[in-house]
Amino acid sequence: MLIRRPKSWELKENQTTPHGLYLNRRQLVAGLGLASGSIASCAMAESKTAIAGRKLEFSSSKYKVDAPQTPYPMVTSYNNFYEFGTDKSDPAKHAHSLITDPWTVTVEGHANKTGTFALEDIIRTSEQEERIYRLRCVEAWSMVIPWVGVPLRKILAQFEPTSKAKYVQFVTKFERSQMRGTRWPVLDWPYVEGLRMDEAMNDLSFMATGLYGHALPNQNGAPLRLVVPWKYGFKSIKSIVKIRFVSKQPKTSWKKSAPREYGFYSNVNPNVDHPRWSQSSERVIGGGGFSSLFSRRNTEDFNGYGTEVASLYSDMDLKRNY
Ligand code: MTE
């Protein structure tokens, strides 16, 4: 993905080493313990604010994956968050500098209710649910993550978007003093992403506030990040401070940076290769148990969510609209 710097998530997979390789067995066991504990207890609220690591209040949902969850230490140490550096291990090392409380989200554009809102005023903790989704990165690796959050459609509906809102754009916080990676022009900061309104209102689109039952660690996009499980991971924009309802297809960071390689739609598609690598299969991070650090699986159309979303694209050529 990286264009101007050599260390990239576009490196061929045999050139990259998952950070997970360095995790030892004790860390893995600890992570798995946290996973089962948090699910079993189904969360007593300790705080209404999204301070990283706090236990969250949530109910369970119908969204599950028939595969093991990626161990917590891997979900939180093998990350892409270029505002903190381009190495997979950089976000876990450096994202603690991001101040996430208090946090506001500014809503602009074609909606009846716009303005700047405190995070607690737009996320109703009583509506939080857990959804276990597959995450498929365009770099051809994948994870299975138990997110906590609120369906995006519920968050957007409260702003009453008008009929002129055809798309929604999201913007990540951009504060150079807190985000050391933004000293380099790896991308045109701030990171921006977007969805068509019907994609945003699909029940699968999710705004995460936590994972594994606890508020998001900064490296995973605290305090508020998008999760769009049928699209490549770069659509799942982190640490959101702005939501804009717009009439035209908005700019998105990776499309701006390399339009031939990263499209607006970015639906997971095993039949449309990235210009520099195949998308037909993926490395399942942490999927090899203790004997190996990843396993391999065939990539599925829409990352396995075709039943829910294929109809959104019935009249589109998905090879052209990659
Ligand atoms: N959001 C911002 N603001 N900056 C980023 O660099 N990387 C994206 C996405 N969201 C990114 C971002 C990419 S490429 C992926 S694969 C996912 O975040 C990774 O999410 P994770 O680190 O929680 O696994």
Side-chain angles (χ1 to χ4, degrees), residues 109-111 161-169 194-201 244-250 264-265:
H110 299 300
T162 69
S163 59
K164 286 189 183 160
K166 304 291 183 212
Y167 294 86
V168 57
Q169 186 184 38
L195 295 172
R196 222 169 52 191
M197 264 323 256
D198 58 346
E199 297 178 317
M201 300 310 266
R244 291 189 182 120
F245 294 101
V246 294
S247 56
K248 298 212 172 83
Q249 191 181 103
F264 176 80
Y265 285 95

Side-chain angles (χ1 to χ4, degrees), residues 1 9 74-85 88 91 135-139 141 143 145 147 171-173 179 187 189-193 211 216-221 225-226 232-240 253-254:
M1 198 113 191
W9 52 292
M74 292 180 176
V75 175
T76 56
S77 66
Y78 186 83
N79 298 102
N80 280 326
F81 200 168
Y82 276 18
E83 287 86 337
F84 298 99
K88 292 285 179 288
L135 173 77
R136 169 60 156 84
C137 179
V138 75
E139 298 167 317
W141 54 262
M143 296 191 186
I145 303 178
W147 301 104
V171 184
T172 292
K173 178 166 171 168
M179 302 168 124
L187 287 169
W189 314 112
Y191 195 100
V192 283
E193 255 307 333
L211 54 83
L216 286 170
N218 285 5
Q219 59 268 35
N220 294 90
R225 64 104 33 104
L226 190 64
Y232 290 121
F234 65 87
K235 299 295 287 183
S236 293
I237 179 172
K238 297 179 169 180
S239 305
I240 294 167
S253 286
W254 281 106

Side-chain angles (χ1 to χ4, degrees), residues 13-296:
E13 66 188 42
N14 61 4
Q15 295 174 285
T16 59
T17 307
H19 181 71
L21 280 173
Y22 304 107
L23 293 171
N24 63 29
R25 287 180 184 208
R26 266 166 67 205
Q27 283 173 294
L28 285 172
V29 172
L32 291 165
L34 172 57
S36 53
S38 61
I39 288 162
S41 65
C42 222
M44 289 282 294
E46 280 177 2
S47 164
K48 298 255 180 235
T49 54
I51 298 175
R54 288 292 172 97
K55 251 183 169 182
L56 295 175
E57 194 183 345
F58 60 91
S59 57
S60 62
S61 78
K62 63 178 179 182
Y63 294 105
K64 313 247 187 274
V65 173
D66 190 17
Q69 293 168 30
T70 309
Y72 180 87
M74 292 180 176
V75 175
T76 56
S77 66
Y78 186 83
N79 298 102
N80 280 326
F81 200 168
Y82 276 18
E83 287 86 337
F84 298 99
T86 55
D87 242 48
K88 292 285 179 288
S89 59
D90 281 338
K93 277 191 223 145
H94 303 301
H96 58 84
S97 55
L98 180 68
I99 298 167
T100 62
D101 187 30
W103 191 268
T104 58
V105 177
T106 301
V107 178
E108 298 173 348
H110 299 300
N112 292 328
K113 295 189 181 159
T114 55
T116 297
F117 303 88
L119 180 65
E120 325 48 281
D121 293 339
I122 62 170
I123 298 287
R124 285 183 206 93
T125 50
S126 60
E127 288 183 351
Q128 289 190 141
E129 50 185 85
E130 182 178 69
R131 292 184 173 196
I132 304 167
Y133 279 161
R134 289 189 185 280
L135 173 77
R136 169 60 156 84
C137 179
V138 75
E139 298 167 317
W141 54 262
S142 68
M143 296 191 186
V144 175
I145 303 178
W147 301 104
V148 176
V150 178
L152 179 63
R153 61 181 169 75
K154 287 196 183 171
I155 296 181
L156 298 187
Q158 64 191 314
F159 306 120
E160 300 173 13
T162 69
S163 59
K164 286 189 183 160
K166 304 291 183 212
Y167 294 86
V168 57
Q169 186 184 38
F170 303 92
V171 184
T172 292
K173 178 166 171 168
F174 174 33
E175 183 63 61
R176 194 157 280 154
S177 62
Q178 295 173 31
M179 302 168 124
R180 69 199 302 278
T182 61
R183 294 182 218 153
W184 294 280
V186 182
L187 287 169
D188 181 13
W189 314 112
Y191 195 100
V192 283
E193 255 307 333
L195 295 172
R196 222 169 52 191
M197 264 323 256
D198 58 346
E199 297 178 317
M201 300 310 266
N202 184 279
D203 192 50
L204 279 177
S205 298
F206 199 57
M207 200 64 108
T209 55
L211 54 83
Y212 271 111
H214 294 72
L216 286 170
N218 285 5
Q219 59 268 35
N220 294 90
L224 192 65
R225 64 104 33 104
L226 190 64
V227 183
V228 195
W230 73 95
K231 293 180 179 282
Y232 290 121
F234 65 87
K235 299 295 287 183
S236 293
I237 179 172
K238 297 179 169 180
S239 305
I240 294 167
V241 290
K242 254 187 206 157
I243 299 176
R244 291 189 182 120
F245 294 101
V246 294
S247 56
K248 298 212 172 83
Q249 191 181 103
K251 294 218 150 97
T252 53
S253 286
W254 281 106
K255 187 172 177 217
K256 270 200 282 180
S257 175
R260 283 193 52 260
E261 304 192 4
Y262 309 103
F264 176 80
Y265 285 95
S266 300
N267 293 319
V268 175
N269 192 335
N271 304 311
V272 177
D273 287 339
H274 185 277
R276 291 184 277 136
W277 61 84
S278 164
Q279 293 291 22
S280 64
S281 70
E282 63 205 42
R283 277 181 302 134
V284 183
I285 303 293
F290 291 128
S291 52
S292 95
L293 282 150
F294 62 85
S295 58
R296 190 160 273 288

